[in-house]
């Protein structure tokens, strides 16, 4: 086959496969079966392998996801991502309608939509191709999750038609369909992992996974509901969204134009029950002013538009008998009482268990075994007990006695006056706590062990290959290969990842140890103040409190952690494995004035940590700034630089330099 033939065939395969994707994932009406689809995909894959020059990030083969992503790069949103004010009643909807009419001085129409319960995403398209996907983050800047989003089949990589603007952003909600959610939780439970509490958490967690191959398997989906850009085809929300559907986006077919508040109310009433037959969770509706001119007139509040509101449906309730109570131990030792209920129908599912929160809540409502209790289903998949029908209380009922010992390990429970939950203090000997600690240790923000996620950590623990975090460092490849579905390659990757993690900074390690109340920031502050673990262990609580952000509670917790023999034994074994128990010593003294008066913004990854680069800039008299503005002198561009910073710098004519150039400037 000549390259020209190959190119033509590749083009037609891509068009055909994307058409099938669209039918299957957006329209939900496939015109062919999996067999045909797989055959086309295989042919395309083979051609791309034989003619690498034909590979393209926009090819449907790239949806499968291949590489392990490094940490997500944070990118500033071009337009901030706002949230919505909530309303809960007909009166509040009337009030919103009155407000809109008064402020705009006219009768105007609304678009009512369902409020999908997932995680917000902002997609950028340039010349009809998906170029970037950002999470909401803090509304100002979000994580670049493009590689993961590319695996979602209902999100077009290339748009259909040719009447889309050269550049625009489209926003929506990534969600996990209920069927995928249930399947995922069954799998997780079988592997000894904590199931996700609800589809929203599952969607958000999945989107932040480092391995997009794994993301591709989880069946995420996405509804788009908001479009932004300079040259949109229409001046009404509804018309533009309908147009977006023609370009290939999955836009909810249940959007509806409403002329006034009574039409809004009938939309809300209709969907109060009908929404339960949808394949995904919804927690309300959104009412938007349709006309952009009116939207502009109404303007924005600090965090939300004045031209839209959310309407939240009330949680559903049911009554049933409380049969017994289990006490679950979480990874930090916190105890959660869980009610076993006589099965009852609630929001389309049968409920048998519900959370009782903590001892105070039980006491407050005087909840007793044998009582008829009121169960509510809010946003969480696990319903909660919110009250008791005391009229139905059996005559022989007795007040509940909260346990005083841990149901898992028998240790005496502790209850701090300042905290709602009891907890088990037996950190080193209580099984669910040990597993939780290991999962925390390997996690991305902690030791970030390549190849060992929460799942693998649980697998290693449940198969008895590790009993604590120190055991990780004496694991052998052959041991790992005894596990189900673990080949030599995966085992090697795990061993390499663990070996590499020995280089993780002391601040990461300190956070990874999982000392109660010592979060990432506190760990950094402690490292800045004390430089080594020995110094921290030797410090008295008063000395610890000299560090930034360390108060009595944290200081006491640190002291308690290092007074525990079992913890010290683990630390000694980690020392033997040669992990970093000291801060890298970086000179803080002034080195030169070469960057005096210059403002530098850094973005992307460098040969050393970003903190080190920042320190270097300061040591040579420069100033670090967080966002590119007309006052910025240099944008220091690292690997995987945030595209919006780059673009802004270009627009403003800010000089863009590389790490090598910076080093030259100061040498
Ligand atoms: S519009 C400026 N429409 O709800 C308006 N949001 O509480 C931006 N959401 O952050 C949002 N369904 O993640 C809009 N049909 C819908 C929505 C929706 C779900 C989410 C979205 C937003 C949050 C606000």
């Amino acid at each position: 086959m000549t390259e020209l033939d190959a190119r033509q065939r590749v083009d037609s395969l891509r068009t055909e496969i994307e058409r099938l994707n669209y039918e299957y994932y957006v329209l939900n009406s496939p015109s062919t079966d999996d067999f045909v689809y797989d055959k086309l995909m295989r042919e395309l894959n083979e051609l791309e392998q034989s003619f690498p020059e034909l590979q393209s990030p926009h090819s449907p083969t790239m949806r499968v996801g291949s590489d392990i992503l490094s940490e997500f790069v944070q990118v500033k949103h071009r337009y901030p991502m706002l949230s919505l004010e909530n309303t809960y009643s007909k009166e509040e909807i009337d009030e919103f309608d009155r407000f809109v009419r008064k402020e705009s001085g006219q009768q105007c129409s609304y678009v009512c939509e369902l409020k999908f319960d997932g995680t917000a995403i902002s997609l950028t398209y340039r010349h009809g191709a998906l170029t970037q996907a950002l999470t909401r983050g803090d509304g100002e800047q979000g994580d670049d999750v493009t590689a993961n989003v590319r695996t979602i089949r209902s999100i077009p990589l290339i748009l259909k038609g040719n009447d889309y603007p050269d550049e625009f952003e489209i926003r929506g909600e990534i969600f996990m369909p209920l069927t995928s959610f249930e399947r995922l939780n069954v799998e997780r439970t079988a592997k000894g992992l904590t199931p996700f509490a609800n589809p929203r958490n599952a969607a958000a967690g999945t989107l932040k996974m480092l391995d997009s191959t794994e993301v591709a398997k989880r069946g995420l989906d996405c509804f788009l509901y908001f479009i932004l850009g300079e040259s949109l085809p229409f001046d009404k929300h509804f018309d533009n969204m309908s147009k977006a559907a023609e370009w290939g986006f999955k836009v909810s077919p249940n959007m509806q134009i409403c002329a006034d508040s009574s039409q809004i109310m009938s939309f809300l009433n209709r969907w109060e029950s009908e929404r339960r037959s949808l394949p995904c969770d919804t927690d309300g509706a959104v009412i938007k002013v349709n006309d952009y001119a009116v939207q502009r007139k109404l303007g924005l509040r600090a965090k939300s538009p004045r031209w839209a509101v959310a309407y939240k449906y009330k949680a559903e309730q049911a009554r049933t008998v409380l049969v017994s109570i289990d006490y679950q131990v979480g990874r930090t030792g916190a105890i959660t009482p869980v009610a076993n209920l006589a099965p009852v129908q609630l929001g389309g599912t049968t409920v048998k268990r519900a959370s009782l929160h903590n001892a105070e809540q039980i006491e407050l409502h005087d909840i007793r075994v044998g009582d008829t209790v009121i169960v509510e289903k809010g946003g969480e998949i696990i319903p909660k007990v919110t009250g008791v029908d005391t009229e139905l209380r059996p005559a022989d009922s007795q007040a509940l006695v909260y346990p005083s010992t841990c149901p898992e390990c028998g240790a005496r429970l502790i209850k701090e006056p300042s905290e709602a939950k009891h907890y088990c203090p037996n950190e080193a000997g209580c099984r669910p706590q040990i597993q939780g600690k290991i999962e925390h240790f390997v996690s991305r923000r902690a030791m970030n062990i390549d190849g060992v996620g929460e799942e693998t950590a649980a697998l290693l623990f449940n198969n008895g290959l590790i009993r604590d975090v120190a055991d990780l460092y004496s694991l052998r490849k052959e041991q790992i290969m005894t596990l189900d579905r673990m080949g030599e390659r995966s085992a090697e990757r795990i061993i390499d990842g663990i070996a590499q993690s020995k280089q993780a900074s002391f601040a990461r390690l300190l956070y990874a140890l999982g000392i109660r109340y010592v979060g990432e920031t506190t760990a950094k502050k402690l490292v800045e103040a004390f430089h080594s673990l020995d110094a921290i262990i030797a410090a008295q609580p008063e000395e610890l409190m000299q560090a930034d952000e360390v108060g009595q509670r944290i200081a006491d917790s640190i002291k308690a952690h290092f007074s525990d023999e079992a913890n010290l034994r683990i630390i000694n074994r980690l020392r033997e494995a040669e992990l970093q128990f000291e801060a890298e010593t970086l000179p803080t003294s002034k080195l030169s004035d070469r960057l005096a008066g210059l403002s530098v913004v850094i973005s992307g990854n460098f040969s050393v940590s970003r903190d080190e680069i920042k320190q270097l800039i300061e040591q040579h008299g420069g100033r670090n700034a967080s966002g590119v503005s007309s006052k910025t002198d240099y944008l220091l561009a690292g690997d995987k630089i945030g595209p919006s910073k780059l673009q802004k710098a270009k627009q403003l004519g800010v000089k863009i330099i590389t790490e090598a150039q910076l080093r030259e400037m100061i040498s």
Side-chain angles (χ1 to χ4, degrees):
M1 193 182 239
T2 68
E3 191 183 324
L4 187 66
D5 291 341
R7 184 177 297 275
Q8 278 170 357
R9 182 65 189 148
V10 161
D11 280 346
S12 87
L13 282 167
R14 284 180 185 160
T15 314
E16 177 65 4
I17 291 170
E18 282 304 1
R19 187 179 65 78
L20 297 178
N21 272 341
Y22 178 72
E23 287 176 357
Y24 188 95
Y25 293 101
V26 179
L27 303 180
N28 289 327
S29 72
S31 64
T32 181
D33 55 23
D34 290 355
F35 178 74
V36 175
Y37 181 88
D38 290 342
K39 207 169 128 227
L40 296 174
M41 270 298 249
R42 213 170 310 126
E43 187 184 346
L44 177 57
N45 236 324
E46 280 162 13
L47 280 173
E48 287 177 352
Q49 294 306 321
S50 331
F51 297 89
E53 58 281 16
L54 298 183
Q55 285 173 5
S56 148
H58 305 307
S59 171
T61 54
M62 296 303 280
R63 287 194 187 273
V64 201
S66 46
D67 30 4
I68 302 291
L69 310 167
S70 58
E71 299 249 353
F72 298 106
V73 176
Q74 297 235 314
V75 180
K76 197 162 161 40
H77 290 295
R78 180 143 183 207
Y79 314 91
M81 277 182 92
L82 302 173
S83 55
L84 296 168
E85 291 256 298
N86 286 328
T87 61
Y88 299 90
S89 65
K90 171 158 176 27
E91 290 69 41
E92 285 177 282
I93 294 294
D94 278 337
E95 198 181 309
F96 171 66
D97 176 43
R98 267 200 308 278
F99 165 80
V100 169
R101 274 184 289 130
K102 180 161 162 270
E103 291 285 310
S104 68
Q106 67 190 90
Q107 185 74 37
C108 52
S109 69
Y110 301 98
V111 180
C112 287
E113 307 168 6
L114 293 168
K115 186 165 187 297
F116 301 103
D117 200 8
T119 181
I121 194 78
S122 185
L123 309 173
T124 302
Y125 284 80
R126 291 205 182 94
H127 306 294
L130 171 67
T131 55
Q132 186 174 61
L134 301 180
T135 62
R136 180 169 191 280
D138 60 3
E140 294 295 326
Q141 54 177 15
D143 279 341
D144 184 333
V145 290
T146 315
N148 285 345
V149 164
R150 279 183 185 286
T151 69
I152 302 175
R153 311 259 173 146
S154 56
I155 293 182
L157 299 178
I158 299 279
L159 301 182
K160 303 200 296 174
N162 50 19
D163 53 351
Y164 39 76
D166 274 353
E167 178 165 351
F168 66 93
E169 275 188 48
I170 187 160
R171 293 181 178 172
E173 201 83 352
I174 291 186
F175 62 92
M176 188 172 282
L178 296 170
T179 45
S180 312
F181 172 71
E182 272 150 30
R183 191 185 59 215
L184 177 64
N185 268 355
V186 168
E187 277 170 26
R188 287 179 71 86
T189 315
K191 286 184 194 157
L193 293 170
T194 332
F196 283 108
N198 53 48
R200 180 182 358 105
N201 291 1
T206 302
L207 200 57
K208 293 286 181 76
M209 288 176 76
L210 296 183
D211 181 354
S212 57
T213 328
E214 196 49 42
V215 179
K217 291 181 196 149
R218 291 215 183 159
L220 291 179
D221 204 339
C222 180
F223 272 124
L224 284 312
Y225 49 61
F226 189 41
I227 182 164
L228 287 146
E230 306 293 316
S231 43
L232 301 177
F234 300 102
D235 54 9
K236 291 202 168 64
H237 170 64
F238 191 90
D239 298 340
N240 278 327
M241 291 318 298
S242 309
K243 195 76 206 171
E246 287 176 26
W247 298 331
F249 291 107
K250 184 158 177 161
V251 174
S252 168
N254 307 315
M255 285 196 313
Q256 190 181 313
I257 296 187
C258 293
D260 53 30
S261 93
S262 84
Q263 287 188 5
I264 296 176
M265 279 325 289
S266 25
F267 177 92
L268 299 178
N269 289 339
R270 168 169 163 229
W271 284 102
E272 168 122 46
S273 53
E274 273 184 46
R275 70 198 177 101
R276 297 192 209 296
S277 53
L278 293 171
C280 62
D281 269 351
T282 51
D283 59 345
V286 182
I287 301 114
K288 300 174 183 168
V289 166
N290 193 14
D291 197 318
Y292 289 157
V294 181
Q295 286 188 6
R296 278 193 295 273
K297 211 162 177 182
L298 290 164
L300 310 173
R301 296 182 205 86
K303 294 271 175 225
S304 59
R306 295 163 78 191
W307 46 262
V309 280
Y311 174 85
K312 296 276 218 163
Y313 288 115
K314 279 199 196 60
E316 273 184 284
Q317 291 192 337
R319 268 151 215 268
T320 187
V321 174
L322 172 58
V323 179
S324 64
I325 300 177
D326 288 339
Y327 297 89
Q328 288 180 347
V329 187
R331 63 174 58 190
T332 59
I335 309 289
T336 304
V338 178
N340 293 309
L341 305 166
V344 62
Q345 282 300 117
L346 179 62
T349 53
T350 310
V351 172
K352 295 186 208 129
R353 284 163 75 76
S355 172
L356 286 162
H357 298 292
N358 53 51
E360 275 168 25
Q361 283 295 312
I362 294 178
E363 208 174 312
L364 181 73
H365 298 290
D366 185 20
I367 298 169
R368 305 176 181 196
V369 171
D371 271 347
T372 297
V373 291
I374 298 151
V375 202
E376 241 179 46
K377 206 168 183 181
E380 306 294 295
I381 209 82
I382 303 182
K384 50 194 177 200
V385 173
T386 55
V388 177
D389 188 340
T390 40
E391 308 237 315
L392 298 177
R393 175 166 284 169
D396 59 350
S397 130
Q398 288 182 1
L400 193 88
V401 182
Y402 206 80
S404 54
T405 56
C406 174
E408 294 277 346
C409 73
R412 182 155 285 278
L413 297 182
I414 290 181
K415 164 87 173 65
E416 303 285 359
S418 61
E419 281 179 38
K421 286 194 169 172
H422 286 65
Y423 72 90
C424 164
N426 182 15
E427 282 179 60
C430 182
R431 218 181 141 80
Q433 292 192 64
I434 303 172
Q435 179 172 344
K437 273 200 176 327
I438 299 175
E439 288 171 2
H440 168 75
F441 186 85
V442 303
S443 68
R444 181 157 74 92
R445 309 206 77 105
M447 298 300 277
N448 192 18
I449 302 188
D450 214 11
V452 189
E454 194 187 323
E455 219 160 286
T456 313
L459 197 68
L460 295 170
F461 178 72
N462 287 320
N463 283 283
L465 296 190
I466 54 176
R467 285 152 302 156
D468 56 38
V469 297
D471 283 345
L472 282 167
Y473 295 92
S474 47
L475 264 178
R476 282 172 299 107
K477 189 173 88 181
E478 297 71 33
Q479 288 176 294
I480 301 175
M481 284 167 63
T482 61
L483 298 178
D484 237 15
R485 286 182 296 155
M486 272 292 176
E488 179 156 9
R489 230 172 62 103
S490 325
E492 266 167 12
R493 201 174 132 212
I494 292 175
I495 295 288
D496 286 350
I498 294 173
Q500 255 176 32
S501 74
K502 294 182 179 180
Q503 300 311 320
S505 70
F506 173 41
R508 274 184 182 272
L509 175 57
L510 187 59
Y511 168 62
L513 290 177
I515 304 168
R516 181 180 285 259
Y517 310 129
V518 177
E520 254 179 309
T521 319
T522 311
K524 281 190 193 140
K525 300 284 178 196
L526 284 164
V527 172
E528 273 168 29
F530 292 92
H531 303 288
S532 75
L533 188 72
D534 287 330
I536 295 176
I537 294 181
Q540 291 309 312
E542 307 73 60
E543 298 170 85
L544 290 169
M545 282 159 68
Q546 301 292 313
D548 259 6
E549 294 190 27
V550 177
Q552 187 76 54
R553 188 178 68 139
I554 300 180
D556 288 346
S557 162
I558 297 169
K559 203 70 212 152
H561 187 93
F562 294 121
S563 309
D564 186 325
E565 280 299 320
N567 288 336
L568 291 176
R569 273 197 297 275
I570 291 179
I571 285 167
N572 283 335
R573 286 165 52 221
L574 292 175
R575 277 190 212 266
E576 278 162 26
E578 299 183 331
L579 275 69
Q580 309 300 315
F581 281 100
E582 277 177 32
E584 295 156 48
T585 40
L586 296 166
T588 48
S589 55
K590 189 75 170 270
L591 297 178
S592 87
D593 274 329
R594 300 229 164 80
L595 302 177
L598 297 176
S599 155
V600 186
V601 172
I602 73 170
S603 176
N605 301 329
F606 302 93
S607 66
V608 293
S609 78
R610 284 148 70 105
D611 283 343
E612 283 167 76
I613 291 280
K614 284 187 180 171
Q615 184 166 22
L616 204 59
I617 292 171
E618 282 172 17
Q619 283 174 327
H620 290 276
R623 202 165 52 77
N624 289 291
S626 55
V628 178
S629 74
S630 54
K631 300 205 181 88
T632 311
D633 293 294
Y634 293 106
L635 173 65
L636 180 60
D639 247 14
K640 300 202 179 154
I641 178 172
S644 70
K645 276 196 179 138
L646 194 59
Q647 197 186 6
K648 188 122 185 234
K650 283 183 184 158
Q651 269 168 11
L652 296 172
V654 170
K655 272 191 220 118
I656 300 165
I657 54 169
T658 61
E659 182 180 340
Q661 285 171 311
L662 175 83
R663 290 189 184 276
E664 205 165 297
M665 284 164 73
I666 57 178
S667 71

